[in-house]
Each structure stands twice: as structure tokens, then as C-alpha cells.
Amino acid sequence: MSDGAHAHPESFISKYVFSVDHKVIAVQYLLTGMVMGLVGGFLAYVIRMQLAEPTGSVPGYGTLNFVEYNAVVTMHGTIMIFWVAMPILLAAFSNLLIPLMLGADDMAFPKLNRLSYWTFLLSTVVLVSSFFVPGGAAAGGWTSYPPLSASAAYSGGHLGVTFWLLAVVLEFAAFLMGGINFIVTIINMRPRGMGFFELPIVIWMQFVAAIVFMLSVGPLLAGGIMLLLDRVVGTGFYDPAAGGDPILFQHLFWFFGHPEVYVIFLPGMGIIGEILPVFSRKPLFGYRMIVWASIATGVMSFIVWAHHQFIAGIDPRLATPFSITTIMISVPVAVMIFSYLATLWRGSIEFTTPMLFAVGTLVLFLLGGVTGIHLGTPATDIFLHDTYFVVAHFHYALIPPVFMAFFAGIYFWYPKMFGRMMNETLGKVHFWLTMIGINVIFQPQFALGFMGHQRRIANPLLFDSLNTVQAIELQWLSTIGVLILLPGQIPFLVAFVRGFFSGEEAGANPWRANTLEWVAPSPPPHGNFAEQPQVYRGPYEYSRPDREEDWFPQNLAS
Amino acid sequence: MAMWWFLASEIVIFGGLVFTYLLFLWRYPEWTEEAAHTLTNAGAINTFVLLTSSYFVVLAHDAAHHERYQKAARLLALTVAGGFVFLAVKTYEYSHEIHAGFVPARSVFWSFYYTLTGLHALHVIGGMVAMTVVALAVRKGQNPQRVEYVGIYWHFVDVVWIFLFPLLYLAS
Ligand code: HEM
Ligand SMILES: [Cu+2]
């Protein structure tokens, strides 16, 4: 256990660089993730400029050949999922919230926590340096399918792929350490009075996500080791000529990969599950149902993976069961969404910036979920697989948890992290630019998918169906969306930095919320609470008729 | 408790590998001929060595439990010695097989053979390092509860081997 109460002065280095304090580690993960988000965003800009003007040169980058284009796409996907979504949603928010919401002084294993961050940082350095090795970064897609990834003859970048694999393995080691810590902390360090059904919903979802992650990552690590051996030692796991099977990697990858999307999705949904009740001053609708739905989602996410392989040459008899499970998993997801919507119903809704982002998350995700069902039907998917329709689907599914919920969470917990508020006006400008940008980018991509635009094609004009005035206009429209979205993040960055120096003082509980993190001072000192608070009720007792105030903190006896 | 979760994720790694290996074995019955070229006797000796060392860990845990720290440290040292014997036999096998031309790239069976046993050997080495660290501390009476943790880990390494041995050596 940690030693929360010590008071001797610490140097800057031991306090902020090699800290074992969960809050500092959370901020470290957050900032690393945000920097990587800027890198990933820049790559998105390169992709869109290239597609809008395939023969031109991208301002700020230069001209791309086909291999470079593929490297950019690969690194964009890899970074956004593994180096933005994972560190921010899973690591940063779990590190920040789990001890605070449990009224605990730190994680169960603070040193393991620090080791986790430093391993992650190392993996980040390995990944970024792969841009600069001879042959360039990995170009086999974020899924790294063999044979593309197994042999340099196909993908150009040779060292790049090895670096990619190393970085991914290191990163997963980091998150395994983090995940073990989250699970043990939640099980062991709950305060008196807090049973599992008094846990805030975000803690539940982080709990399920951490377990799902731990149970799914093994096959991917096994697959990654085999791929590395194929490349380095010359084994033949994925080489049909040597008796191997390239589809095997797809199975191992997606056995992890599909649960992974829920590892990202659940914490995002958890975050907005905290925000909606606070700003509609109503209890979370169907708390227990949401808990069971998230567990069901976690369990079912293990039996849907082959929907990514409908046309990869799997046995057609397999397609039907996987199609059924895929469509079934939308049921618990829908339960969550509708419970959230019901929470809003007749609430006294206050549209602060976190609330705007929370509602935006739901609105955008609806489109992602609905298009997912289209793709889960093999007959449709055979036509749409690997087109921009899929690209638009997963962006509508991923952007809500990864970016919208992240922003919602930052605007909401920033006062707790730094003791000051972020500027509301900047926040609202940021929200609208983001919302408009995302839709302008991805709506045209549904249409482009139907017109036959395949993924990972550096020059769509080479295809007749895409070399039309209409298609070119849609490409441009989508690119203009990026040119709205990226500058749209400037108000956020300004508010983030300015808030730190000159934001309004927040006080312990600026949003009048119930959960325990608001009991601690803002920002909480090392050790968080003078003593661990006791808990008397669930987290969502808003607007109780028998009380004068419309909130009822978990730690108040009466 | 963290140990158990750690092992759970380890099981999924080995589980994933072993499961895919089984699928392949099922599809390519001719692999059994390849498996005949493994050194079954050496494998059997190693199974015996690992099981004995596991027994020493149990004794070490018991000794630590009764606060007989010197004895616990000595038993841990014996376990580490068992690990060395295991690795020595394994090295002999590898060199023998490689000389006979059964290199990893020869066929997917050998790819699996080297990956699985190699990964397992890395775990053996990891366990030996951990046990040395724990033994040195326990001798001074520090952190005796860690004897139990390395013990659990060592049993796990043992159990993995119990699966690998019949699957790889006796598949013929
Ligand atoms: C309602 C639930 C969902 C269903 C039914 C669904 C279904 C599908 C299907 C069938 C595909 C394969 C399309 C193809 O490659 O032809 C797919 C791709 C994808 N989905 Fe979903 N999905 C759902 C939710 C999500 C969520 C929540 C996320 C992320 C948070 C997500 C992320 C992705 C990604 C990243 C891909 C593309 C992977 C690639 O090929 O690179 N999906 N989805
Ligand atoms: Cu999927």
C-alpha cells in the first residue's frame, strides 16, 4: 500500500517526473496522449490533402509516393488507437478517477504504476523513431496483416515493421501492469459502505474494460511474437509456402482487436455516464441495467471477431454465427444508449461544455452503431468491406468515445486536476467546430464508399468511378472538414493552457456533484483525503424530493 | 492477487499459442512424424527436474511460513539449481536438433516447437532471477511473503511445461 501521509519536501524531479502519485501519472499519460493526438491529427491532414489533390504536393509535408502514403495511413491508425485512445481513455482517466472516486490515497501498487508509465513512454519513443529508420515507418496497415507485414518485399519498410511490433509489445506490457493495478485497486480499496453497486458507473466500465483487455491481449501478443519470428528468424507461421497460414494472424489480431474497441468504448461511455446526471440533476436511469449491459458487452465482445474477415476466406458456414453475435452485441450497447437518453428526459438540463460534449458523444455514436449493423450482415459487407464506408463507420464509432468523451471528461475534471476552471466560451466554440468538422469529414465518406473508394489507395483518380466531378467534390468536402476540425482544436488548447495559469478558482466541488472525488480539495494533495471517507449511498442521488438541495453527496451521513 | 491477474494474462498468451498449435496439428496429421524427432528422453528428464524443483518451492514456502528464513533461502537456491539443470538439458536438445537440421524455419511444426519452448525457457529464466532476488532478501528476513508469490509463479511455469511436453514431444 502507499504511504500517503508523508510530508517531507520533494524535489521537482521526484514530484513531477518520477512520481508515484496516481494523479501525476494520470497527467503524464494525458499529456503524452495529447501530443500523440497532435501527431495523429497531422497525419490525418496529410491523408486528406493527398486524397483531395492526389498529384499535388501536401503543404507542410511534400509529395508522397504510394509506400509513403501507406506508411502515413498505418501510423495514423496505430497512433490514434494505441497511443491516443488507450493512454487517455484507459490509462489517464482510470489513474485519475479510480483512487479519487474510491476515496483512496493512491493505487494499490504505486511503483508498478510508475513503471507502467515509463514503459509506455519507451514504447512511444520506439514508435516515433520508426519514422526515421531506413525504409520508413511500417506501411502494412494498423492491423499489420501478413504477408504485407511479414515480408519486406511487399511493404518496403523493413525495420519500420520490426519497430512497430516492438513498440506495440512494449506498450501492451505497460497497459497490462496498469490494468492489474486498476483491477486490484477496485476490488481491494473500496471505502467502507461502498459495495460493487455503489460504484460510480465510470469505475464499473473501467473495471470491465481492464478485464477485457487483460483476457484478450494474450493471443495478439502470441501472434505478434510469431510475426516477429517470421520476420527475424525466418519461421513460417504465416507463410503458406512453408505450411503456414496468413489468415491465422487475422484471427489472433481480431480476437484481440474487437474486444479492444470495447476497451476504448466502455470507459468513454462511463465518462459521459458521470456527466449526464450532474447536468440534468437527475439520477442515472437504470444504473444496474447499465452495469449488466456493460458486462454483457464485455463478454460478447469475445465472440464477434470474425466479422472483420467475412471476405478473407473464412469458412462461409462461420459467417452466419459471427453475423448473429455481431448484431446481438448491439442490444446491450443500445440498452446503455437508451438509458442515457432516458436520464436526460425531463431533467433540468444545463448545457455546459462537458454536457455538450457528452450529448455530442451519444448523437455521433448512434450513426456509428447503426452502420455497424449494416456491416455485420455479410451480404452487405461483401460489397462494402474495405471501402470508405467502413472507414466512416469506425470513425463514427471511435470518435465519440475517443475524442468527444475525452473532451467531455477533460472539461469536467480539469477543475479537479488543476484547481481551476476552463473557459466556457472557448469550450463552446471548440465544441461546435469539432462537431461540424467531424460530420463534414465523414458524411461524404459513406457516399464515397458506395462509389467504390477502397481504403489505402493513394490516388483515387486512377479509378474511373472515382474520377468524376461528383466524387472529386466529395473528396474535397471531406478534406475541408479536416481544415475545420484541426484549427477547431486551437480554442481547446488555449483554454487548457490558460486555465492552468489564470482560470477561475474552482473550489472542491464546482459542479455540485455527488461522487467522492469532489470531497477532496482541488487539486488534491499527495494522499488525496485526510482520511478515507465513508459511503452511505449510491452515486446518483440528485433532486431527491425529501431534500432541500438537489444533490446528496455519497459521504454525507444524512 | 496481482500475481493471479498476471498469471491470467500469461495463460491467455500461452493458451493462444497452444490452441493455434492444436488447430494446426489437427489439420496436418503428418506433423506427428516431425514430432518423433524431438528428444523425448531429454524432455522426460526435464519434466522430472521441474516437478522436483516445484516441490522445493513448496518446502521453501513452508519454511518461510515457520520463520525459518535461512532454510527457506537454501531451498530456493535448490530450486534455482533445478532451473539451471533444466536449461542445460534444453540447450543440449536445441544444439542436437539444430545439428540434425531441424531449425525453426524447417517447417511450421519446428517453428511452434522453438517458439513455445523458447518462450517457456524465458519464463524459467525470469523465475530464476526472481527467486534469487527473493532468496537474498529472505535470508535477511525481509519480505518472506514473497516466497509464496515466486512459488505460485514457479508452479505456473511448471504447469505450462506439463502441457507442452505431451503436445510437442509425445505427439508422434
Ligand atoms: C453496434 C456495434 C458495432 C457493430 C455491429 C460493428 C460492426 C463492424 C463490422 C461488421 C466491421 C467490419 C467491416 C469490414 O471490415 O468490412 C467493423 C469494423 C470496424 N469497427 Fe465496428 N461495429 C460496432 C461498434 C464499433 C465500436 C464501438 C467501435 C470502436 C470503438 C468499432 C470500431 C471498428 C473499427 C476500428 C473497424 C475497422 C477495422 C479495420 O478494418 O481497420 N465498431 N465494425
Ligand atoms: Cu469488430
Side-chain angles (χ1 to χ4, degrees):
Chain A
M1 299 287 144
S2 68
D3 45 349
H6 65 174
H8 56 82
E10 292 171 291
S11 72
F12 177 83
I13 301 262
S14 75
K15 193 160 169 201
Y16 294 109
V17 183
F18 294 108
S19 175
V20 292
D21 184 348
H22 72 101
K23 300 179 293 291
V24 178
I25 293 173
V27 173
Q28 289 173 330
Y29 266 118
L30 179 74
L31 294 180
T32 317
M34 279 168 58
V35 170
M36 291 307 275
L38 291 177
V39 177
F42 175 72
L43 296 176
Y45 154 85
V46 175
I47 296 171
R48 280 311 328 162
M49 292 305 281
Q50 167 73 14
L51 290 178
E53 195 82 70
T55 49
S57 131
V58 176
Y61 188 94
T63 48
L64 293 93
N65 62 32
F66 286 6
V67 173
E68 278 167 356
Y69 176 79
N70 280 340
V72 167
V73 178
T74 303
M75 293 303 273
H76 165 74
T78 306
I79 288 177
M80 285 301 194
I81 296 212
F82 295 140
W83 271 269
V84 180
M86 295 284 284
I88 292 183
L89 279 175
L90 197 64
F93 278 109
S94 299
N95 265 315
L96 177 71
L97 295 177
I98 290 176
L100 281 175
M101 286 186 149
L102 299 183
D105 54 359
D106 206 322
M107 285 294 198
F109 308 106
K111 285 193 187 135
L112 188 67
N113 211 9
R114 175 177 59 186
L115 184 61
S116 152
Y117 174 74
W118 283 94
T119 313
F120 170 71
L121 192 63
L122 179 66
S123 78
T124 314
V125 172
V126 173
L127 185 82
V128 171
S129 57
S130 80
F131 277 112
F132 306 107
V133 298
W142 78 280
T143 51
S144 260
Y145 282 177
L148 272 187
S149 56
S151 157
Y154 301 117
S155 58
H158 188 81
L159 260 180
V161 185
T162 309
F163 269 55
W164 186 96
L165 275 165
L166 271 178
V168 169
V169 169
L170 275 174
E171 173 182 61
F172 286 173
F175 286 135
L176 273 177
M177 292 184 243
I180 291 174
N181 222 338
F182 301 155
I183 296 170
V184 176
T185 309
I186 294 173
I187 295 181
N188 276 357
M189 297 182 62
R190 275 168 296 127
R192 263 196 303 153
M194 189 183 270
F196 274 95
F197 283 106
E198 279 86 34
L199 283 177
I201 201 77
V202 65
I203 302 291
W204 256 113
M205 301 221 175
Q206 286 165 345
F207 188 52
V208 177
I211 295 179
V212 169
F213 176 75
M214 290 192 59
L215 297 183
S216 64
V217 76
L220 179 72
L221 283 178
I225 292 169
M226 286 150 78
L227 187 55
L228 204 60
L229 291 177
D230 268 12
R231 292 183 64 82
V232 181
V233 186
T235 51
F237 289 117
Y238 302 126
D239 181 1
D245 184 353
I247 307 268
L248 171 63
F249 184 82
Q250 299 192 10
H251 282 295
L252 294 174
F253 184 90
W254 287 115
F255 182 83
F256 159 81
H258 193 90
E260 164 73 9
V261 304
Y262 288 97
V263 169
I264 294 167
F265 171 74
L266 287 175
M269 289 303 275
I271 289 172
I272 66 172
E274 296 301 321
I275 294 174
L276 297 173
V278 172
F279 296 111
S280 35
R281 312 308 292 170
K282 272 187 60 192
L284 186 63
F285 181 88
Y287 169 85
R288 273 176 192 246
M289 211 159 57
I290 300 177
V291 169
W292 290 116
S294 59
I295 295 175
T297 314
V299 173
M300 287 167 73
S301 69
F302 283 97
I303 47 169
V304 298
W305 78 88
H307 66 211
H308 295 273
Q309 299 159 256
F310 283 151
I311 68 158
I314 59 172
D315 189 329
R317 281 168 301 180
L318 268 180
T320 311
F322 278 105
S323 167
I324 292 171
T325 53
T326 299
I327 293 170
M328 257 164 52
I329 201 170
S330 356
V331 173
V333 173
V335 166
M336 274 180 233
I337 308 268
F338 285 115
S339 304
Y340 282 1
L341 291 177
T343 305
L344 297 177
W345 180 252
R346 293 214 171 143
S348 16
I349 294 176
E350 193 187 344
F351 278 112
T352 57
T353 310
M355 186 65 165
L356 280 175
F357 274 102
V359 174
T361 307
L362 290 180
V363 171
L364 290 182
F365 185 77
L366 276 178
L367 262 170
V370 169
T371 49
I373 298 179
H374 294 328
L375 296 174
T377 319
T380 325
D381 188 52
I382 286 170
F383 182 68
L384 291 172
H385 176 72
D386 260 350
T387 66
Y388 262 74
F389 188 92
V390 174
V391 173
H393 151 69
F394 69 70
H395 282 89
Y396 269 108
L398 279 163
I399 284 180
V402 177
F403 287 101
M404 304 299 277
F406 152 60
F407 288 132
I410 281 295
Y411 284 104
F412 188 64
W413 280 295
Y414 188 93
K416 186 49 64 184
M417 273 191 252
F418 300 112
R420 293 171 184 276
M421 309 293 285
M422 285 172 82
N423 184 298
E424 276 286 317
T425 318
L426 285 173
K428 285 182 177 141
V429 173
H430 172 221
F431 171 77
W432 287 111
L433 288 177
T434 304
M435 199 67 179
I436 294 168
I438 290 169
N439 284 294
V440 175
I441 298 173
F442 293 108
Q443 285 296 340
Q445 295 187 4
F446 286 122
L448 283 166
F450 278 117
M451 295 162 115
H453 188 185
Q454 294 283 314
R455 301 167 71 176
R456 298 167 187 161
I457 301 288
N459 184 356
L461 299 184
L462 297 177
F463 298 83
D464 287 342
S465 70
L466 297 174
N467 198 355
T468 62
V469 177
Q470 199 197 4
I472 293 171
E473 276 175 8
L474 286 174
Q475 297 285 13
W476 263 110
L477 189 60
S478 181
T479 301
I480 289 168
V482 172
L483 300 179
I484 299 173
L485 181 67
L486 289 185
Q489 307 312 305
I490 293 173
F492 168 72
L493 293 175
V494 172
F496 192 90
V497 176
R498 262 210 351 211
F500 188 78
F501 294 106
S502 59
E504 203 184 312
E505 294 276 344
N509 193 353
W511 311 117
R512 292 174 296 128
N514 284 346
T515 38
L516 290 181
E517 79 270 30
W518 303 107
V519 177
S522 312
H526 194 166
N528 300 339
F529 300 85
E531 62 180 295
Q532 189 169 29
Q534 184 167 353
V535 166
Y536 296 93
R537 65 189 60 74
Y540 303 111
E541 310 249 331
Y542 291 101
S543 304
R544 262 174 53 158
D546 57 338
R547 268 181 69 86
E548 224 166 274
E549 277 137 3
D550 64 354
W551 49 307
F552 201 178
Q554 285 191 281
N555 65 319
L556 282 194
S558 59
Chain B
M1 177 130 101
M3 193 73 209
W4 290 111
W5 282 104
F6 173 68
L7 290 185
S9 56
E10 289 265 47
I11 289 173
V12 202
I13 300 180
F14 275 106
L17 268 173
V18 169
F19 186 69
T20 45
Y21 167 73
L22 279 177
L23 284 178
F24 271 92
L25 192 64
W26 181 46
R27 198 156 87 192
Y28 300 105
E30 64 272 22
W31 278 16
T32 49
E33 282 158 41
E34 304 269 321
H37 295 290
T38 53
L39 303 179
T40 312
N41 285 341
I45 294 176
N46 260 347
T47 311
F48 177 72
V49 169
L50 270 192
L51 284 176
T52 326
S53 68
S54 248
Y55 177 63
F56 287 138
V57 178
V58 176
L59 291 183
H61 177 206
D62 190 58
H65 192 70
H66 293 102
E67 298 185 5
R68 301 180 55 191
Y69 297 133
Q70 297 291 337
K71 188 175 171 202
R74 248 178 291 130
L75 284 163
L76 282 180
L78 271 179
T79 319
V80 174
F84 274 115
V85 175
F86 178 90
L87 290 177
V89 174
K90 198 74 227 156
T91 316
Y92 165 75
E93 282 181 62
Y94 276 171
S95 58
H96 185 88
E97 280 147 4
I98 289 174
H99 272 293
F102 300 112
V103 290
R106 180 186 156 95
S107 77
V108 181
F109 172 80
W110 289 100
S111 300
F112 269 111
Y113 171 79
Y114 283 100
T115 310
L116 283 167
T117 53
L119 194 64
H120 178 261
L122 285 180
H123 280 75
V124 172
I125 296 173
M128 286 161 60
V129 172
M131 267 187 297
T132 313
V133 174
V134 172
L136 289 179
V138 169
R139 219 173 43 168
K140 297 184 218 123
Q142 291 159 355
N143 293 320
Q145 78 285 2
R146 291 200 179 151
V147 177
E148 183 179 358
Y149 303 150
V150 286
I152 297 175
Y153 181 76
W154 195 253
H155 295 320
F156 166 75
V157 173
D158 205 2
V159 168
V160 170
W161 180 257
I162 305 249
F163 275 98
L164 295 186
F165 177 61
L167 287 176
L168 292 170
Y169 291 78
L170 305 180
S172 47

